[in-house]
Amino acid sequence: MDGEVALYTEDLGVRYYIQRGVVKALDDVNFRLYKASLTGVVGESGCGKSTLGRAIIRVLPPNGEITSGRIIYNGVNIVELSEEEMRKLRGREIGLVMQDPMTSLDPLMSVKDHLLETILEHIEVSRDEALKMAEEALSSVGLSRELLKSYPHQLSGGQRQRVAIALATVLKPKILIADEPTTALDVIVQKKVLDLIEDLMRELSLTVMLITHDIALAAERADYIGVMYAGHLVEYGRVDQVIEDPQHPYTQLLLKSVPDIENISMVQSIPGLPPDLVNPPPGCRFHPRCPYKMDICIREEPKMIEVGEGHYVACLLRRR
Ligand SMILES: Nc1ncnc2c1ncn2[C@@H]1O[C@H](COP(=O)(O)OP(=O)(O)OP(=O)(O)O)[C@@H](O)[C@H]1O
Ligand SMILES: [Mg+2]
């Protein structure tokens, strides 16, 4: 029933090194992206969503490192590729729209400079051909060629986000990782940007990983959802499985925290905060906030188990 897997991770672990110690940002993450479908990655701030997206194309910050596991794409383990091989893969096979495009765009470079640099760095075409590709990329994200001359600060938030998407898709990658592409935008522009991503998906048969703290948005747009908590993937499945039949207490609470326009007073925020990942809680990392905590949850780390076809959860309550 499920499609072909485009990319998957196996027991992926990432660490950040800071003065205070080691941040256990990802542990044992078994995540997958199905071809030509949209997978939402959700969870509160600091749960490791961006880290997962950046690890997949190996653009972690300098103090970050993949310390365990594998990332398999087309039968190749991305973790083992040389920097040279990675440069070929980035943009061409897998594109990334970074969280906050203002910081990922160079304020001293025009939109045209950005696009031409990306194109000419990766493929051998003439400047004229590259310019044509740049114009096409802009028009595919609904922007006029007039904007080629603009600098990032001259663009609106929505335009910047579109430019970032044009940059990530100009080489027609197979996979697009979009990290909070709509968070800073008003709901109308948000909808347009998400519609645009869906259009590109159909046009290019793109596989999309949509990172968002907004589970309601993921429920609306995604085919599959992965829920992250404190550096662990705690639930994964088709959108109907995760949204209609959430198995992890954290997913259940996230869903209850969604504001409902008719019932705004019913919103329940999740008590407490995600833990400090330098010293994560032992056992299940969610136990300090879990309404169903058992003694064993403090001692034993839950592993992912399959609870329905393609529906996985890491919770000791679901242990058989
Ligand atoms: N460069 C870094 N150095 C040290 N720790 C970092 C760094 N980047 C992220 N972290 C830590 O790694 C953990 C995961 O962060 P990450 O940015 O992946 O979370 P996120 O789910 O994307 O959050 P947000 O929703 O706020 O974007 C957090 O504990 C965060 O503090
Ligand atoms: Mg993030």
Side-chain angles (χ1 to χ4, degrees):
M1 182 169 43
D2 289 324
E4 241 180 291
V5 174
L7 179 147
Y8 63 95
T9 72
E10 244 178 37
D11 300 332
L12 189 66
V14 169
R15 301 283 179 264
Y16 291 111
Y17 303 95
I18 57 173
Q19 256 186 352
R20 220 155 49 75
V22 180
V23 183
K24 298 168 188 76
L26 289 186
D27 265 311
D28 298 326
V29 172
N30 290 292
F31 175 74
R32 61 176 77 144
L33 293 171
Y34 286 101
K35 274 189 185 161
S37 63
L38 194 153
T39 302
V41 177
V42 302
E44 289 162 290
S45 184
C47 284
K49 306 180 299 293
S50 296
T51 302
L52 178 59
R54 295 177 70 158
I56 287 176
I57 63 165
R58 289 189 25 205
V59 288
L60 287 169
N63 66 329
E65 187 193 2
I66 296 174
T67 47
S68 54
R70 312 195 303 157
I71 302 164
I72 306 296
Y73 172 68
N74 279 347
V76 173
N77 180 6
I78 289 183
V79 178
E80 286 173 348
L81 293 181
S82 67
E83 199 34 53
E84 178 68 27
E85 290 167 316
M86 273 319 290
R87 263 198 297 278
K88 287 190 193 136
L89 199 101
R90 279 188 209 113
R92 252 219 285 205
E93 299 285 328
I94 308 177
L96 171 69
V97 177
M98 293 251 246
Q99 191 166 4
D100 187 5
M102 202 50 197
T103 54
S104 60
L105 296 173
D106 185 334
L108 300 177
M109 283 168 63
S110 67
V111 171
K112 179 173 145 186
D113 297 338
H114 277 100
L115 282 162
L116 289 188
E117 186 184 82
T118 302
I119 297 165
L120 295 171
E121 196 181 287
H122 283 94
I123 52 177
E124 281 182 32
V125 287
S126 69
R127 239 188 125 70
D128 279 354
E129 281 170 284
L131 193 57
K132 205 165 145 242
M133 285 176 71
E135 285 173 4
E136 275 167 16
L138 271 196
S139 101
S140 78
V141 297
L143 294 177
S144 101
R145 60 186 304 272
E146 300 301 310
L147 285 182
L148 280 173
K149 294 190 286 293
S150 303
Y151 286 81
H153 69 273
Q154 297 171 317
L155 304 171
S156 72
Q159 287 172 331
R160 266 199 301 270
Q161 203 53 261
R162 283 167 193 256
V163 168
I165 294 169
L167 271 169
T169 52
V170 63
L171 300 168
K172 303 199 171 22
K174 306 279 186 302
I175 298 178
L176 175 68
I177 301 173
D179 192 352
E180 303 277 7
T182 61
T183 302
L185 308 175
D186 69 62
V187 283
I188 308 219
V189 183
Q190 187 175 65
K191 179 175 181 314
K192 286 191 180 155
V193 169
L194 291 167
D195 289 346
L196 162 71
I197 291 177
E198 286 181 355
D199 289 346
L200 290 171
M201 254 181 91
R202 276 187 292 271
E203 249 167 69
L204 306 174
S205 299
L206 258 185
T207 299
V208 177
M209 171 173 173
L210 177 71
I211 298 173
T212 173
H213 62 276
D214 185 348
I215 195 169
L217 184 147
E220 196 185 312
R221 301 280 176 164
D223 304 299
Y224 299 88
I225 291 188
V227 182
M228 307 236 9
Y229 185 75
H232 285 161
L233 184 69
V234 296
E235 184 154 2
Y236 179 91
R238 283 196 323 269
V239 65
D240 55 294
Q241 293 170 320
V242 175
I243 299 299
E244 281 156 34
D245 187 24
Q247 294 290 312
H248 199 286
Y250 181 60
T251 315
Q252 294 165 2
L253 287 169
L254 268 185
L255 284 164
K256 284 198 184 125
S257 71
V258 172
D260 171 344
I261 213 118
E262 271 136 43
N263 243 329
I264 215 103
S265 58
M266 295 294 285
V267 176
Q268 298 173 21
S269 66
I270 310 176
L273 289 170
D276 174 16
L277 294 181
V278 174
N279 285 305
C284 171
R285 289 186 180 177
F286 188 58
H287 85 252
R289 300 171 80 188
C290 185
Y292 309 109
K293 179 181 76 182
M294 305 175 290
D295 287 345
I296 192 174
C297 304
I298 303 168
R299 295 189 307 271
E300 195 174 313
E301 204 172 282
K303 296 272 170 255
M304 272 283 199
I305 57 163
E306 194 168 11
V307 289
E309 206 191 332
H311 186 187
Y312 299 84
V313 64
C315 174
L316 294 168
L317 282 171
R318 310 291 161 211
R319 215 176 36 158
R320 271 168 276 226

